[in-house]
Amino acid sequence: MTAALTERPRVSLRARIGSFDQAYLVLAITVTLVLVGGATTNNFLTTGNLSTILNLSAAFGIMAVGQAIVVIGKGLDLSIAGIGLGCAQATLALINQGWGQWEAVGAMILLAAFIGLVNGVIIAFVEVPALFVTLATGMLAIGGIGILILDQNVYTVPPDSVLAGLSGTAFWSIPRPVLIAAIIFLAAWLFLTFTTPGRLIRAMGDNFATARSSGAPVRPLQVLTYVVSALLAALAGFVAVAIQGSIQTTSSSFDPILFTALTVVVIGGVSLSGGRGTVLGVLAGALFVGILNSLLVMHGLSTAVQDLIRGAVLLGAIGFDAWLHPRNDETDKSGEL
């Protein structure tokens, strides 16, 4: 009788795994992937290749941070690819047409903020599902910029422009994109951890109805998440075009950019059910995806095979998230994406 009363309740495997930060698991897998890549792939561990991986990981990592803030608040932003790609294209086009570089960059920052504001207002106040709103605004952004601003197929980054200054190396030979990403990751961690809006966004994502009944300004907070996401998407676009040195307008990179950002977020442990996830996890996810992409390219796999592997990785991460954080009655009450 006494033994029965004092027996500790059994903790399920799901609960045990859920108690750990997924970021550490992803970092361990990433280190393993690096070791395997170094052992099986020529020139993988060279300074040049690792620098390329870090630069590209920094670019889509910045975009993923914005997406993560939205998802933590139980939202979803599919417009980030259109905003990032479109703002980068439009900035170079406007400079090419005689605009001052700061005026062009400033105009695109304002456009990104406006799109984020539109997303947030329609989702929060009109209560249209985020999936449809953000997909539409992303396509409107890339399509509208293509029709109204772009007038050639390829734009190059002027060597003396503010965008060119986003690439290269900073002090201690640290790549500037990596330094910029580090600042963004740090700022996001401070925002979500130590500010009242950041903590309320997490509470809102964990249980929307409870957050609203406790007096949290959930609708303005939703708008804020989409504005932040749009601004970081624009910054990611600027950094990406600075690294590449040019950008094509004949073929859109909309889908790969969006896929990469979503993969980083989900693999990094930011739960699609809302309220869960860390900035460290997003960082781990960005490094994992950057290394995976590099290995797929260096092994000479076809685009179709690469897409197959990336899709399988994303599907596996989503399935793991669904198992680790199953929907319940409270989650159902908070509404659909």
Side-chain angles (χ1 to χ4, degrees), residues 15-69:
R16 291 177 181 177
I17 296 176
S19 63
F20 294 99
D21 189 341
Q22 188 170 320
Y24 299 110
L25 174 62
V26 177
L27 286 173
I29 295 174
T30 302
V31 171
T32 303
L33 196 61
V34 170
L35 296 177
V36 172
T40 62
T41 311
N42 293 330
N43 300 321
F44 177 75
L45 292 179
T46 61
T47 302
N49 186 57
L50 293 177
S51 178
T52 299
I53 292 173
L54 288 176
N55 278 328
L56 295 177
S57 298
F60 55 70
I62 292 170
M63 185 176 289
V65 168
Q67 180 74 275
I69 291 174

Side-chain angles (χ1 to χ4, degrees), residues 32-288:
T32 303
L33 196 61
V34 170
L35 296 177
V36 172
T40 62
T41 311
N42 293 330
N43 300 321
F44 177 75
L45 292 179
T46 61
T47 302
N49 186 57
L50 293 177
S51 178
T52 299
I53 292 173
L54 288 176
N55 278 328
L56 295 177
S57 298
F60 55 70
I62 292 170
M63 185 176 289
V65 168
Q67 180 74 275
I69 291 174
V70 172
V71 174
I72 287 173
K74 197 167 175 58
L76 187 66
D77 191 354
L78 301 184
S79 67
I80 53 175
I83 294 172
L85 184 64
C87 287
Q89 292 175 342
T91 299
L92 293 180
L94 292 175
I95 293 175
N96 187 65
Q97 294 167 15
W99 282 48
Q101 54 180 318
W102 285 108
E103 287 80 1
V105 170
M108 289 305 104
I109 291 175
L110 289 176
L111 176 62
F114 175 74
I115 296 173
L117 181 64
V118 170
N119 283 338
V121 169
I122 295 177
I123 293 166
F125 292 95
V126 185
E127 298 186 354
V128 178
L131 175 69
F132 304 112
V133 174
T134 57
L135 180 61
T137 55
M139 296 178 70
L140 285 171
I142 195 69
I145 286 172
I147 294 172
L148 299 175
I149 300 177
L150 306 182
D151 55 9
Q152 59 189 57
N153 294 333
V154 179
Y155 292 97
T156 58
V157 179
D160 58 344
S161 66
V162 61
L163 292 183
L166 297 178
S167 63
T169 57
F171 55 86
W172 295 329
S173 299
I174 300 175
R176 285 197 184 98
V178 174
L179 182 60
I180 294 169
I183 294 172
I184 295 300
F185 276 101
L186 177 61
W189 174 71
L190 292 173
F191 172 73
L192 290 172
T193 306
F194 296 106
T195 70
T196 299
R199 290 193 292 266
L200 289 176
I201 287 171
R202 190 178 294 276
M204 176 179 70
D206 187 53
N207 194 308
F208 189 91
T210 300
R212 180 168 53 186
S213 63
S214 66
V218 291
R219 297 188 193 278
L221 286 173
Q222 283 181 293
V223 175
L224 175 63
T225 61
Y226 286 99
V227 172
V228 170
S229 178
L231 290 173
L232 290 180
L235 176 59
F238 294 152
V239 171
V241 77
I243 295 170
Q244 296 169 0
S246 64
I247 192 167
Q248 292 187 356
T249 60
T250 52
S251 59
S252 173
S253 300
F254 187 101
D255 292 337
I257 293 174
L258 179 59
F259 168 86
T260 300
L262 286 173
T263 303
V264 168
V265 169
V266 177
I267 286 179
V270 179
S271 175
L272 295 176
S273 64
R276 301 177 181 88
T278 65
V279 175
L280 179 61
V282 179
L283 174 60
L287 293 174
F288 172 84

